Amino acid sequence: MEEIMITKYEKLLWIAYSAVLVILFLMSSTDLIIKEKKQEVYPVSVIVEDSTDDNYVNFRKGMEQAAVELNVDVSFITLYDAGDREQQAELALREQQEGARALIVAPVDPDAAVEFLEDDRLQVPLVLLHSEAVPVDDRVSASITFDYHGMGRELGMQIQKEQPPKLPVYLFLGSGQGEAERLFEDGLMSVLEPAGRETLRFRREASGGFRKVIESLVYPGVQNAVIVAMDQEGLVETAGVLKDSSVYASYVSGLYGRGTSILALNELDRGIVRGLCITDDFSAGYLSVQTAVRMISNPYESRQEYLVSGYIEREDLHKEEYEKLLYPIG
C-alpha cells in the first residue's frame, strides 16, 4: 500500500485552518472575542391629566411608534381622579423614583405646569404637553403644544361668518379648566367680544348638566343659540343630546368644538357638529418621546414646539391632507 506522506507545510496549513474554524465559531456563538454592543433602553413615563385615555388615541399611536424606533420603554399613566393636581405630582415623583429617566406630563392646569418646573425634587428631564409655561433657571425641560389661542380665534371668525349676529353663543366648559381650554376660550372671546356677540358660560357640574341648558332653550321658546363645546368630552355629550332629539337640535343653530376622537369625527360626518378644531396628536406623541430621548442623551437648552392645528367642516373629512392627520396608521 502506498503510504501518504504529509509534509510539515501541510500540517501547519491544517492547524491554521482548524484555528480559523474555532475562531469563527466563537465569534458567531459567543461574545468572548467580539462583545455585542447592548442597545440602551430609555424608560420614559407619560402622565396625562385625565382618568382615561379617550382623548389620547392618536397621541398614543405616535408615542408607540417613536418608542419602537428609539428603543424606549414607555409607561402611559392616567390619573385615578381627572384633574387632581396633587395626585399628578405624586405620580411624577413615583415614576422618577422607580427609574424613569424622563417625564412627559400634560399638566392639569397652568399653575400645575409652573409647579412642575419649579419642583426641585424632579431631577429628570421634563416635557410638558399642551402648556406654554416658561422654563425656570437651567432646568432641562421642553414643551410641545398647539396654538390654542389661534384655534379659538379662527373658530370665532367662522362663527361670525356663518351665524346671525343676534344669536348668543353658549360656551360649554369642562368640569375643570386646563391651560389648553383657557387659551382656546381667550382666543374665541378675542373675536366675539369686540363684535358685540352675547356669550354665556356654562360649566359641567354633573352628568346631564348640558342637557338642562339645551332644554332651557326649548321650553321658554325665546331664541336659538350657537353652542361651542370647549373640550372633547363636552362636544360628544352635547352632540348626543342633539342627535337624540330633533326638537332640541332645531333650537341650536350650530354646534362647534375641538377634538380628534372617532366619536367627535363621526358626529361631524353626520352633520351634528358644524365645525371642528383639530390637532396633529400623532406628531405630538411621536415628538414628545423623541424630545425626551434627546434630553436624556444630550441635555440641551429649553425649547418650545408648536405643532399643526386647523379647522375643518364636514366636507373636509375625506381630503387627503386631513385623512393622514386624523386617521394615522400607528
Side-chain angles (χ1 to χ4, degrees), residues 69-222:
E69 293 179 6
L70 303 174
N71 206 37
V72 181
D73 181 13
V74 177
S75 298
F76 187 89
I77 300 160
T78 59
L79 303 183
Y80 307 118
D81 302 303
D84 190 325
R85 288 169 54 175
E86 291 184 6
Q87 186 183 107
Q88 191 176 52
E90 289 171 1
L91 287 171
L93 292 171
R94 184 198 72 182
E95 291 303 302
Q96 176 182 255
Q97 186 176 1
E98 293 185 357
R101 295 180 60 191
L103 298 174
I104 301 170
V105 181
V108 168
D109 56 36
D111 292 336
V114 174
E115 287 171 8
F116 275 112
L117 291 170
E118 294 178 344
D119 193 338
D120 292 332
R121 295 173 299 173
L122 291 175
Q123 299 298 316
V124 297
L126 176 66
V127 180
L128 294 178
L129 298 174
H130 315 307
S131 173
E132 296 188 349
V134 179
V136 294
D137 302 325
D138 57 353
R139 180 66 56 86
V140 180
S141 61
S143 70
I144 294 172
T145 188
F146 300 92
D147 183 5
Y148 289 106
H149 189 278
M151 288 168 58
R153 280 190 57 82
E154 184 171 5
L155 179 56
M157 289 187 286
Q158 290 293 333
I159 290 172
Q160 285 300 101
K161 182 172 70 174
E162 297 172 357
Q163 300 295 337
K166 292 184 179 181
L167 289 186
V169 174
Y170 284 18
L171 306 184
F172 284 3
L173 284 70
S175 52
Q177 189 173 37
E179 186 170 1
E181 185 177 315
R182 178 184 61 81
L183 290 168
F184 185 64
E185 182 181 348
D186 288 348
L188 181 66
M189 296 305 296
S190 72
V191 175
L192 300 184
E193 274 188 338
R197 174 86 65 168
E198 181 186 3
T199 57
L200 296 90
R201 301 168 83 251
F202 302 90
R203 187 169 296 281
R204 184 192 298 108
E205 301 295 346
S207 178
F210 292 153
R211 178 182 291 272
K212 292 178 182 178
V213 175
I214 297 171
E215 286 175 353
S216 71
L217 285 171
V218 176
Y219 295 114
V222 178

Side-chain angles (χ1 to χ4, degrees), residues 140-330:
V140 180
S141 61
S143 70
I144 294 172
T145 188
F146 300 92
D147 183 5
Y148 289 106
H149 189 278
M151 288 168 58
R153 280 190 57 82
E154 184 171 5
L155 179 56
M157 289 187 286
Q158 290 293 333
I159 290 172
Q160 285 300 101
K161 182 172 70 174
E162 297 172 357
Q163 300 295 337
K166 292 184 179 181
L167 289 186
V169 174
Y170 284 18
L171 306 184
F172 284 3
L173 284 70
S175 52
Q177 189 173 37
E179 186 170 1
E181 185 177 315
R182 178 184 61 81
L183 290 168
F184 185 64
E185 182 181 348
D186 288 348
L188 181 66
M189 296 305 296
S190 72
V191 175
L192 300 184
E193 274 188 338
R197 174 86 65 168
E198 181 186 3
T199 57
L200 296 90
R201 301 168 83 251
F202 302 90
R203 187 169 296 281
R204 184 192 298 108
E205 301 295 346
S207 178
F210 292 153
R211 178 182 291 272
K212 292 178 182 178
V213 175
I214 297 171
E215 286 175 353
S216 71
L217 285 171
V218 176
Y219 295 114
V222 178
Q223 60 182 346
N224 288 12
V226 178
I227 296 177
V228 177
M230 305 304 287
D231 66 7
Q232 188 162 248
E233 185 180 356
L235 178 69
V236 173
E237 177 187 328
T238 305
V241 173
L242 300 183
K243 186 168 57 178
D244 290 343
S245 170
S246 59
V247 175
Y248 291 167
S250 67
Y251 282 85
V252 177
S253 181
L255 171 61
Y256 301 84
R258 61 186 179 93
T260 56
S261 72
I262 295 298
L263 290 174
L265 297 175
N266 285 345
E267 300 301 357
L268 179 66
D269 198 26
R270 293 188 183 105
I272 304 297
V273 174
R274 176 72 175 269
L276 195 60
C277 292
I278 57 171
T279 50
D280 185 359
D281 296 340
F282 182 91
S283 293
Y286 188 97
L287 186 60
S288 65
V289 173
Q290 184 186 64
T291 301
V293 171
R294 286 177 178 172
M295 291 197 297
I296 292 170
S297 306
N298 300 295
Y300 59 92
E301 189 175 310
S302 298
R303 59 185 292 183
Q304 190 169 56
E305 294 274 358
Y306 283 92
L307 302 183
V308 173
S309 59
Y311 173 84
I312 62 170
E313 296 185 345
R314 185 178 186 179
E315 59 269 21
D316 298 316
L317 274 175
H318 303 294
K319 292 181 179 178
E320 185 178 355
E321 59 186 298
Y322 294 118
E323 281 189 334
K324 290 180 179 179
L325 187 150
L326 296 170
Y327 308 103
I329 300 173

